[in-house]
Amino acid sequence: VQRAWIIAIGTELTLGQTVDTNSAWLAQRLAALGLRSTRHICVGDEHDEICRVLREALAAADVVLVSGGLGPTADDLTRAALAEVAGVDLEEDAARLEQIRRFFVARGRDMQPANRVQALLPRGSRALENPCGTAPGIRIALGGVPLYALPGVPFEMRAMFERHVEPELRDSAGGAVLLSRRLNCFGVGEAEIGARLQDLMVRGRNPEVGTTASLGIIGVRINARSATAVEAAALLDSAERAVRTRLGTLVFGREEETLAGTVGHLLRERGATLALAESCTGGLVGKWITDVPGSSAWFRGALVTYADSAKSSLAAVPPALLASHGAVSAEVAAALAAGARSRFDANYSLGVTGIAGPAGGTPEKPVGTVYIALAGPGVVEGRCLRLGADSSRAAIRERAAAGALNLLRLTLLEPPQPAQLTAAQTGGPAVT
Amino acid sequence: VQRAWIIAIGTELTLGQTVDTNSAWLAQRLAALGLRSTRHICVGDEHDEICRVLREALAAADVVLVSGGLGPTADDLTRAALAEVAGVDLEEDAARLEQIRRFFVARGRDMQPANRVQALLPRGSRALENPCGTAPGIRIALGGVPLYALPGVPFEMRAMFERHVEPELRDSAGGAVLLSRRLNCFGVGEAEIGARLQDLMVRGRNPEVGTTASLGIIGVRINARSATAVEAAALLDSAERAVRTRLGTLVFGREEETLAGTVGHLLRERGATLALAESCTGGLVGKWITDVPGSSAWFRGALVTYADSAKSSLAAVPPALLASHGAVSAEVAAALAAGARSRFDANYSLGVTGIAGPAGGTPEKPVGTVYIALAGPGVVEGRCLRLGADSSRAAIRERAAAGALNLLRLTLLEPPQPAQLTAAQTGGPAVT
């Protein structure tokens, strides 16, 4: 596999005022061409530092992609750095100058003298036409390593890459392809997922399997390399089957699929509807659900009962229950779920109540204590989540919302168990 | 000025599957400490390559920040690479192991054997406690250069940096300081903000003023450089006054302040409460409000009336109104606001109804048509927002939620106008 380095130039990047999204975009496109990007570097608008990075890249990589530093102002230094590294002069390219002039004429504007420098190219390089702006790109080979310098503005960079760089690289890459797939999991920690997938995660294997974690969602990333896209896809399929065998219902979706989207599919298949009663999540579960286009087919609505009085008046939680067990309790979570189910006349309903912090914790119920409950046909279920007093308010709320949706997902996947039916019959939630 | 290198580790980064946001965040925080980050590098989960990058960084920089690769699985290689570069063994840190164990106990989960590796530290290094997760950070000095290895999960990385790294670096820094401040604005586009601030935005000025735009929120960024933090802060203060003079009530907050947070302050000052009736935003306004710690003091709750039947049964919208004007109408928005205000017995209430797409648009009410309404003491106000059929569902929902909160903010800032009182008296919303 050929190795690519990707360099992004601009002091706004090294100061952190702009996040470099160009390099990730380029890396994905290179991977699809079978080029593995092994290093991304951001460097500021400093001539010597840019030259140093270019020399390092040309020594280590089989192809180098650069974005940024091609504008008309004094802090655009890519042209001069390329000339210095190549040991050549900058020359004005007459065709390029004419093109820049035409760009301004077409927009009824005068070309500024500063734009003239954009027609300068290192001797021996080739200009890449910019379909969207004034900065031409530059293609140069240094010591046999091809280097492409593209503009920093993302949409100009993308257009130029697709038009001029991708076709050349596809011809020269000679086949090897890297395809990628992500499976999204919920229910256990990253270490347990890692333990179950240990043999698949051995270094250097193809396909390569790795994990990432974010707020309780564990992503299992599969990367497959092969000579052809068809072969790589077959490798992905077989690795996905192996992962699913080990993880079962921990896997809830692929790529951008969310817990809410998966729950929506399951409800749709069953012709069932959903309602919510949210306290500590304050609308977050509803927000996630209505992020899903078409969710009006199965989502009836939510009661966000932040004030305790609203829990009684809207979700019909008996005031005596609130007084005896407290608003954050298994009993109130179950009553919230039952109340919303009845109010919205829905098949299923979720209730969420907890202490998101930073204030409000007690020794018995510290910050991070959340009760979730599910009411449905023949089933009442509950869980107590301990989401950690050290976690942020945002993290506690996201994990609580995900936990609630996951409880519904698992219930929809499996027929109710006798124990759960008993709990439903006795009217009490099975808190586990 | 001291030079910092920032390294982000993870194959998901070099493959472009995840955009590295950690490095930009770290660079900003380092700049505020007077440390200039001159290079950011992303490198994959490859032992030799990580060692190479660490050696380069230690040779070139005065301080090195690393994020990622501290998890419990086989592709987490930062610990081993640090040990190799330092030429020392990894040792189990008993205190750290105990802390990881406690993390799981507190959450009622079993510690996996794999998590044990997270207690390994290169001999001679120091663990940095992780306030939000299991991966401790590592502080090590190599050839006199301090290196901090932090977790890759952004919120864990940020919490650890603020708690353990920032205080140490602040003590050791000294020297030129770059301070930065952001003012958040809502109500007009970036171009209009730019036109009003033209003289302040001249290049090369100190303080430097620039704008960014995201989903209707315009950020005005002020960067001030000076020898001391006191001088830089004074420059920021004077630039902030100049910006506020030109923008008036378009400015709603500073830094991380949100529209919901600002609205919360204003309600608290007035001892007033808020309720919501959300249709197309599906809980998003409530989510934003309850993101604000302590919002239970002024937020009563929300009715998420996604189904039309719920609009009538819960928010008391007359079915005849729904039939004659449609669920997406100024009249229904006003009725939703009034219904929620009464249901929750709140001083103010917002109603939101609209077409977020992708389906559901008509020629008269295309996708992106949203009606927002405010009900309060002596005031009923409404707006029709046209949020663009080309915008995404997510963008339409975010702009609608922001527009609703902004309507309340402006009402709370100003005494009711005669025209609005008239609208309230006639019972109809003033749709503008």
Side-chain angles (χ1 to χ4, degrees), chain A residues 332-352:
Chain A
V332 168
L336 284 169
R341 186 173 180 238
S342 144
R343 278 282 188 180
F344 285 99
D345 193 20
N347 301 106
Y348 291 93
S349 177
L350 291 167
V352 187

Short mmCIF file of all heavy atoms in Angstrom, two decimals, chain A residues 332-352:
data_model
loop_
_atom_site.label_atom_id
_atom_site.label_comp_id
_atom_site.label_asym_id
_atom_site.label_seq_id
_atom_site.Cartn_x
_atom_site.Cartn_y
_atom_site.Cartn_z
N VAL A 332 -41.54 6.50 40.54
CA VAL A 332 -41.96 7.68 39.76
C VAL A 332 -41.61 7.49 38.28
O VAL A 332 -42.39 7.87 37.41
CB VAL A 332 -41.36 8.97 40.36
CG1 VAL A 332 -41.53 10.15 39.42
CG2 VAL A 332 -42.04 9.27 41.70
N ALA A 333 -40.46 6.88 37.99
CA ALA A 333 -40.13 6.61 36.58
C ALA A 333 -41.22 5.76 35.94
O ALA A 333 -41.68 6.04 34.82
CB ALA A 333 -38.77 5.91 36.48
N ALA A 334 -41.65 4.72 36.65
CA ALA A 334 -42.70 3.84 36.11
C ALA A 334 -44.02 4.60 35.95
O ALA A 334 -44.73 4.44 34.95
CB ALA A 334 -42.88 2.63 37.02
N ALA A 335 -44.34 5.44 36.93
CA ALA A 335 -45.59 6.21 36.85
C ALA A 335 -45.53 7.22 35.71
O ALA A 335 -46.53 7.46 35.03
CB ALA A 335 -45.86 6.91 38.19
N LEU A 336 -44.36 7.82 35.49
CA LEU A 336 -44.21 8.75 34.36
C LEU A 336 -44.44 8.03 33.04
O LEU A 336 -45.17 8.53 32.16
CB LEU A 336 -42.79 9.36 34.36
CG LEU A 336 -42.50 10.46 35.39
CD1 LEU A 336 -41.00 10.76 35.43
CD2 LEU A 336 -43.28 11.73 35.05
N ALA A 337 -43.84 6.83 32.91
CA ALA A 337 -44.01 6.07 31.67
C ALA A 337 -45.48 5.72 31.47
O ALA A 337 -46.03 5.89 30.36
CB ALA A 337 -43.14 4.81 31.71
N ALA A 338 -46.11 5.25 32.53
CA ALA A 338 -47.52 4.87 32.41
C ALA A 338 -48.39 6.08 32.10
O ALA A 338 -49.31 6.02 31.27
CB ALA A 338 -47.98 4.20 33.71
N GLY A 339 -48.09 7.21 32.74
CA GLY A 339 -48.87 8.42 32.52
C GLY A 339 -48.77 8.92 31.09
O GLY A 339 -49.78 9.25 30.45
N ALA A 340 -47.56 8.95 30.53
CA ALA A 340 -47.39 9.43 29.16
C ALA A 340 -48.04 8.46 28.18
O ALA A 340 -48.64 8.86 27.18
CB ALA A 340 -45.90 9.59 28.85
N ARG A 341 -47.94 7.16 28.48
CA ARG A 341 -48.53 6.16 27.59
C ARG A 341 -50.03 6.40 27.47
O ARG A 341 -50.61 6.37 26.37
CB ARG A 341 -48.24 4.76 28.14
CG ARG A 341 -48.69 3.64 27.22
CD ARG A 341 -48.23 2.28 27.73
NE ARG A 341 -48.69 1.26 26.83
CZ ARG A 341 -49.47 0.22 27.18
NH1 ARG A 341 -49.83 0.07 28.46
NH2 ARG A 341 -49.87 -0.65 26.29
N SER A 342 -50.63 6.66 28.61
CA SER A 342 -52.07 6.86 28.61
C SER A 342 -52.44 8.21 27.99
O SER A 342 -53.33 8.31 27.15
CB SER A 342 -52.55 6.72 30.06
OG SER A 342 -53.59 7.60 30.33
N ARG A 343 -51.73 9.28 28.34
CA ARG A 343 -52.01 10.61 27.82
C ARG A 343 -51.96 10.66 26.29
O ARG A 343 -52.75 11.33 25.64
CB ARG A 343 -50.97 11.62 28.34
CG ARG A 343 -51.26 12.13 29.70
CD ARG A 343 -52.34 13.19 29.63
NE ARG A 343 -52.49 13.82 30.92
CZ ARG A 343 -53.35 14.78 31.17
NH1 ARG A 343 -54.15 15.24 30.22
NH2 ARG A 343 -53.43 15.30 32.37
N PHE A 344 -50.94 10.00 25.73
CA PHE A 344 -50.74 10.07 24.28
C PHE A 344 -51.37 8.87 23.57
O PHE A 344 -51.26 8.76 22.36
CB PHE A 344 -49.23 10.11 23.96
CG PHE A 344 -48.58 11.44 24.24
CD1 PHE A 344 -47.85 11.66 25.40
CD2 PHE A 344 -48.69 12.48 23.32
CE1 PHE A 344 -47.23 12.87 25.64
CE2 PHE A 344 -48.08 13.70 23.55
CZ PHE A 344 -47.35 13.90 24.72
N ASP A 345 -51.98 7.97 24.35
CA ASP A 345 -52.57 6.77 23.77
C ASP A 345 -51.56 6.05 22.87
O ASP A 345 -51.86 5.73 21.71
CB ASP A 345 -53.83 7.16 22.97
CG ASP A 345 -54.66 5.93 22.61
OD1 ASP A 345 -54.49 4.88 23.26
OD2 ASP A 345 -55.46 6.02 21.66
N ALA A 346 -50.37 5.83 23.40
CA ALA A 346 -49.30 5.20 22.63
C ALA A 346 -49.12 3.75 23.06
O ALA A 346 -49.53 3.37 24.15
CB ALA A 346 -47.99 5.96 22.85
N ASN A 347 -48.50 2.93 22.19
CA ASN A 347 -48.25 1.54 22.55
C ASN A 347 -47.14 1.40 23.59
O ASN A 347 -47.23 0.60 24.51
CB ASN A 347 -47.88 0.72 21.31
CG ASN A 347 -48.95 0.76 20.25
OD1 ASN A 347 -48.79 1.42 19.24
ND2 ASN A 347 -50.06 0.09 20.50
N TYR A 348 -46.10 2.19 23.39
CA TYR A 348 -44.96 2.14 24.30
C TYR A 348 -44.69 3.54 24.84
O TYR A 348 -44.99 4.55 24.18
CB TYR A 348 -43.70 1.64 23.59
CG TYR A 348 -43.78 0.18 23.21
CD1 TYR A 348 -44.24 -0.21 21.95
CD2 TYR A 348 -43.40 -0.81 24.11
CE1 TYR A 348 -44.33 -1.54 21.60
CE2 TYR A 348 -43.48 -2.15 23.76
CZ TYR A 348 -43.95 -2.51 22.51
OH TYR A 348 -44.03 -3.83 22.18
N SER A 349 -44.09 3.57 26.01
CA SER A 349 -43.73 4.86 26.58
C SER A 349 -42.52 4.70 27.48
O SER A 349 -42.33 3.67 28.14
CB SER A 349 -44.91 5.40 27.39
OG SER A 349 -44.55 6.60 28.01
N LEU A 350 -41.66 5.70 27.46
CA LEU A 350 -40.48 5.71 28.31
C LEU A 350 -40.58 6.84 29.32
O LEU A 350 -41.00 7.95 28.98
CB LEU A 350 -39.21 5.93 27.46
CG LEU A 350 -38.81 4.78 26.55
CD1 LEU A 350 -37.75 5.25 25.54
CD2 LEU A 350 -38.28 3.61 27.37
N GLY A 351 -40.20 6.56 30.56
CA GLY A 351 -40.11 7.59 31.60
C GLY A 351 -38.66 7.72 32.06
O GLY A 351 -37.98 6.71 32.22
N VAL A 352 -38.20 8.93 32.25
CA VAL A 352 -36.82 9.18 32.69
C VAL A 352 -36.83 10.20 33.81
O VAL A 352 -37.38 11.30 33.64
CB VAL A 352 -35.94 9.73 31.54
CG1 VAL A 352 -34.47 9.81 31.99
CG2 VAL A 352 -36.06 8.90 30.28
#
